[in-house]
Amino acid sequence: MLEPQGEVKKVVIWLHGLGADGHDFEEVVPHLGLPPEHGVRFIFPHAPINPVTINGGMQMHSWYDIRSEDFMNDVDHAGIETSCQQIFELIETQIKFGIGAENIILAGFSQGGLIALNVALNGPYDLAGAMALSTYCPMADRFELHRDTPVLMMHGEHDPVVPFAIGQATCNALQKSGYEVEWHSYPMQHAVCSEELMHIGKWLQER
C-alpha cells in the first residue's frame, strides 16, 4: 500500500498479473505524473497462490486458473468468482474507512485486468472507473450493470501472451453493450511502456 501526502480522498486498487505479486506495480506510481497533493491511496493486493494448469500445475500467485490457450472459451469461472469476492472485501474495507465507492478505481494488468472489469462492471458498486491493461474478458458481452462507469483499456500490438485481437474484442463487446471505453494501443509486447503510463496518469486525474 502506498499512502499519499495528507488526507486520503481517493483509492486505486491495482491488481497484478499471473505469477507476479502485489509489489509489481508499486514502482510505476511516481511515473504517473500525479501532483504531490493527489490524495490517492494505492493498494496492491496479492493474488492467492494456486496451481496453474497451463504452467504444468506450478504453484504461483494467480487470480484464477488458466487451463489452456483458449482464453475466451476455457474459463475458470469459479476461480474468477473467488478472486472477485476478495476484491469486494477490499472495497468494503475502504468504504468503512470513509472512502465512498464513487472514489475508488480498480486497475489490473493481464489476469488482474479481467478481475478489475468483472468487479467494476458486474459487481454491486458504482465505482469511479476501471482500468484494464493487456487483458481480455470472455464475459464482457454479458455485463449489464454500471454502464456509466468509465473504462480505460490499453494493449500491446505485439502481445504474445494475451493476443491483441482478444483484447480489442473485449473492448468492442463493452462498447456494443453501451459502456464508455477509452482504448489505446502501443507498439509493445505484454508489458507497460512510458507513453502508456502518461495516459494512465492523465486518465486518473480526470477521474
Side-chain angles (χ1 to χ4, degrees):
M1 183 183 300
L2 296 179
E3 296 284 3
Q5 301 176 18
E7 181 185 1
V8 177
K9 300 176 181 177
K10 313 280 184 178
V11 169
V12 173
I13 301 173
W14 201 319
L15 312 181
H16 62 78
L18 176 66
D21 62 27
H23 301 296
D24 198 38
F25 280 92
E26 289 179 350
E27 64 183 24
V28 309
V29 174
H31 301 285
L32 298 177
L34 301 179
E37 68 282 2
H38 59 70
V40 180
R41 170 185 289 145
F42 286 87
I43 300 174
F44 302 94
H46 301 293
I49 295 178
N50 289 310
V52 177
T53 302
I54 201 170
N55 288 342
M58 185 181 299
Q59 298 271 348
M60 61 184 64
H61 288 288
S62 176
W63 296 108
Y64 53 90
D65 191 19
I66 297 181
R67 297 185 288 237
S68 73
E69 294 183 359
D70 187 4
F71 294 161
M72 298 300 281
N73 295 294
D74 191 1
V75 182
D76 176 19
H77 291 285
I80 291 170
E81 178 60 28
T82 297
S83 288
C84 287
Q85 289 299 324
Q86 178 182 339
I87 307 309
F88 291 154
E89 291 171 10
L90 270 179
I91 293 171
E92 284 293 335
T93 298
Q94 295 307 304
I95 291 173
K96 289 176 182 176
F97 287 158
I99 306 297
E102 71 280 2
N103 290 317
I104 297 174
I105 284 177
L106 284 185
F109 177 82
S110 197
Q111 269 201 341
L114 185 151
I115 300 299
L117 288 174
N118 272 268
V119 171
L121 306 183
N122 200 41
Y125 311 100
D126 285 313
L127 301 179
M131 185 170 68
L133 315 178
S134 301
T135 194
Y136 65 102
C137 190
M139 59 288 296
D141 60 350
R142 298 193 289 276
F143 292 160
E144 298 179 347
L145 305 176
H146 315 301
R147 287 195 174 94
D148 293 333
T149 299
V151 178
L152 175 67
M153 292 194 70
M154 315 175 105
H155 213 106
E157 294 162 3
H158 312 298
D159 192 329
V161 178
V162 178
F164 181 80
I166 65 173
Q168 198 166 47
T170 294
C171 174
N172 293 340
L174 291 174
Q175 290 174 332
K176 187 176 180 181
S177 295
Y179 290 95
E180 174 195 338
V181 184
E182 181 178 331
W183 170 266
H184 295 276
S185 63
Y186 307 90
M188 64 178 184
Q189 297 190 1
H190 197 61
V192 176
C193 66
S194 57
E195 184 182 2
E196 184 178 15
L197 294 178
M198 179 189 70
H199 285 143
I200 290 171
K202 180 176 181 292
W203 188 83
L204 287 175
Q205 291 186 67
E206 290 171 352
R207 306 280 85 75

